[in-house]
Amino acid sequence: MLPYINIREHRPELSILVLSSLLQAFEYGADVTGTSIDELKLISSFLLSYPLAGVLKRIPDSKPYQKNLFIIAVSLFYLVGLFDLWSGIRTLLISSVGAYVIAAYIESPFMPWIGFVFLMGHMSVSHVYRQFAASPEKVDITGAQMVLVMKLTAFCWNVQDGRLPDKDLADIQRERAIRQLPSLLDYTGYVLFFPALFAGPAFDYVDYRSWIETSMFAVPPGTDPSQVPRTRKKRKIPRSGTPAAMKAIAGLAWIFLFLKFSAWYNVELVLGNQYMQYSFLRRVWILEMLGFSTRLKYYGVWSLTEGACILSGLGYKGIDPKTGRVQWNRLQNVNPWGIESAQNSRAYLENWNMNTNAWLRNYMYLRVTPKGKKPGFRASLATFVTSAFWHGFYPGYYLSFILAAFVQTTAKNARRYIRPFFLTPDGQRPTPAKRYYDLATYLATQSVFCFTTAPFVLLTFSGSLLVWARVYFYAVLMVAASIAFFASPAKNWLVRELDKRNRPALAKRRSQETLGSPLLGLPNDPGRDVDEAVREVREEVEARRRRGGSASMPKGEELKERVEAKLGREI
């Protein structure tokens, strides 16, 4: 008995020794890499998720409850054992229990909106707390809560769709509808899915359910046996080690580049006196590299987390009918090449934070649009506000969002009225001069977006304006000049020239260019939104007249006030 007793007596000392050694290891790693201890812990959790995802995949498919328990245990270890986020557990518990109770007990068409307000309001408290704490290098629960808000607002909408008949639902709503509330164990596993706990990617509950039930991996009838994904033993989850390893290697490479580039190009440099010793073009180049080095961090983090999801099997997206190869991009969140080679704002934004784009489109933009109508300015405004509040309350975010909305207008005008001159009249093939247009739009897109996104990195209002002023507000002037140009008679001249050159194919292409939801909540065409608001005011006036009222179409300042009231902002 004595050895047994002695072991128990020394356990606390052994635990303290192990924890102390781990802390020393993180401190040493932080000194070597130049990162904070919490940031190093975060990367370590992403890497640790790979072997743990391998263990998760090897839990028998017939025992989903064991998978759920394993997921919950690992997430609790991350939250408490790694980051000591006891308050974070409370935060996630409040959001997840609140959303489940709202979805379960409120049977009303307004249920998803109640859940949305509750979840966004709760997250806003965390945003405010983090902002006042002013320690961006420390890991708190805000990032995990942002991911959770996407998952749980979608959950509320999916439950509501499950209460409606199929004939009232769009195809994507039928696919995502939850007809029966999940058990608390399944729901908790969904909430705490450890490969995506801190940084995403977010996904809908139906994806989690089809994964844990393995129905996701069913092979369609008639599939060529040579194209059936290979599995091990009796598992239904296909082998995913190679694509997961590729994501891990890519993620570590991005993180390595981030550590190198962020040492050369950082906030301290653009805010310091040395920055003004360089020429204007050098300052613009440094601003571009500041944005690039910041993007590298997100490329690395999102690649690492996606790889762990792939290893668990959740990244499976079926068999590509063209190539016959297994696709593992269900949860892809970023396309680095698509961003770095973007020639217009839409290509830039649609390759960034792709799951957030999908969430905003499916659970805000399309949800505020009445059935049978096309999304208009109200949908754009609601999506814009949601995206802004979801990101937080740093002034820099709002400077970037507002300027980016006008950049969208500039890019749309260039694509609609200038790009066709560099295509054949039918719009199908490029002319020899198209390469010069592509080069010009690439340089314009990259230089404008490095300016536009700088406040997202700088965060503060004063710091953002200081850096913008140090490069003479060049992107603001470019956008203003473009808007003025297309508001002048020059636009009508371009239209006439295009009509002569490209008729009749041009009209159809113009009508299609405004289709599509806003990316990251940014309106595709702010000018069109104003026109839409004026049209709605006119329709309201006409409706009152038909009912026997004496309403008349407002003019001047009154019309401006009515339009601003509808837009929710000044014009």
Side-chain angles (χ1 to χ4, degrees), residues 241-458:
T242 299
M246 295 300 292
K247 284 292 181 181
I249 293 170
L252 289 174
W254 292 124
I255 293 294
F256 175 78
L257 290 175
F258 163 70
L259 293 174
K260 288 295 184 181
F261 276 82
S262 62
W264 302 327
Y265 305 100
N266 46 57
V267 171
E268 289 75 18
L269 174 60
V270 296
L271 291 177
N273 294 328
Q274 179 64 32
Y275 185 58
M276 292 305 294
Q277 303 302 314
Y278 301 119
S279 67
F280 169 72
L281 290 179
R282 179 78 178 273
R283 294 200 297 273
V284 173
W285 170 253
I286 291 173
L287 202 59
E288 168 64 36
M289 298 312 293
L290 173 65
F292 177 66
S293 63
T294 303
R295 292 194 297 274
L296 288 172
K297 175 175 64 176
Y298 290 96
Y299 294 164
V301 166
W302 286 335
S303 294
L304 289 175
T305 55
E306 184 190 354
C309 291
I310 289 173
L311 192 59
S312 72
L314 191 58
Y316 180 78
K317 201 181 178 182
I319 301 172
D320 188 332
K322 294 182 179 179
T323 64
R325 301 179 64 180
V326 176
Q327 301 178 99
W328 290 101
N329 61 341
R330 177 185 293 271
L331 300 180
Q332 183 179 4
N333 205 33
V334 69
N335 176 8
W337 175 249
I339 294 168
E340 302 305 330
S341 63
Q343 298 174 14
N344 58 71
S345 61
R346 187 163 190 87
Y348 193 102
L349 293 172
E350 70 184 359
N351 288 293
W352 175 263
N353 214 349
M354 297 154 73
N355 289 296
T356 300
N357 277 326
W359 171 65
L360 289 169
R361 179 183 66 248
N362 295 331
Y363 300 109
M364 179 52 64
Y365 184 70
L366 297 177
R367 298 292 179 161
V368 299
T369 304
K371 186 178 179 181
K373 291 189 176 182
K374 293 182 179 180
F377 82 93
R378 290 181 179 175
S380 296
L381 178 63
T383 309
F384 176 85
V385 172
T386 299
S387 180
F389 271 69
W390 180 79
H391 280 90
F393 303 112
Y394 282 105
Y397 295 162
Y398 295 85
L399 288 174
S400 290
F401 271 113
I402 292 169
L403 180 57
F406 290 100
V407 171
Q408 284 274 73
T409 298
T410 299
K412 180 233 13 166
N413 285 332
R415 185 173 182 83
R416 181 181 293 180
Y417 300 113
I418 297 178
R419 184 174 181 269
F421 285 108
F422 297 89
L423 302 174
T424 55
D426 61 2
Q428 300 301 311
R429 296 180 305 280
T431 64
K434 177 67 161 48
R435 70 188 70 176
Y436 303 111
Y437 173 84
D438 290 343
L439 177 61
T441 53
Y442 169 76
L443 293 175
T445 297
Q446 298 297 328
S447 61
V448 167
F449 264 97
C450 80
F451 179 96
T452 303
T453 57
F456 237 90
V457 182
L458 298 163

Side-chain angles (χ1 to χ4, degrees), residues 164-208:
L164 301 175
D166 283 349
K167 64 181 180 63
D168 293 339
L169 302 175
D171 291 341
I172 190 171
Q173 290 175 290
R174 280 191 291 272
E175 294 170 2
R176 306 269 132 189
I178 299 174
R179 301 295 180 183
Q180 183 178 0
L181 278 176
S183 68
L184 289 176
L185 185 60
D186 283 351
Y187 179 75
T188 307
Y190 169 63
V191 166
L192 295 178
F193 187 70
F194 68 84
L197 178 65
F198 288 110
F203 50 90
D204 289 352
Y205 176 76
V206 292
D207 293 324
Y208 183 78

Side-chain angles (χ1 to χ4, degrees), residues 95-105 152 155-156 181-184 187:
S95 287
S96 54
V97 170
Y100 192 89
V101 169
I102 289 170
Y105 293 104
L152 296 185
F155 177 81
C156 290
L181 278 176
S183 68
L184 289 176
Y187 179 75

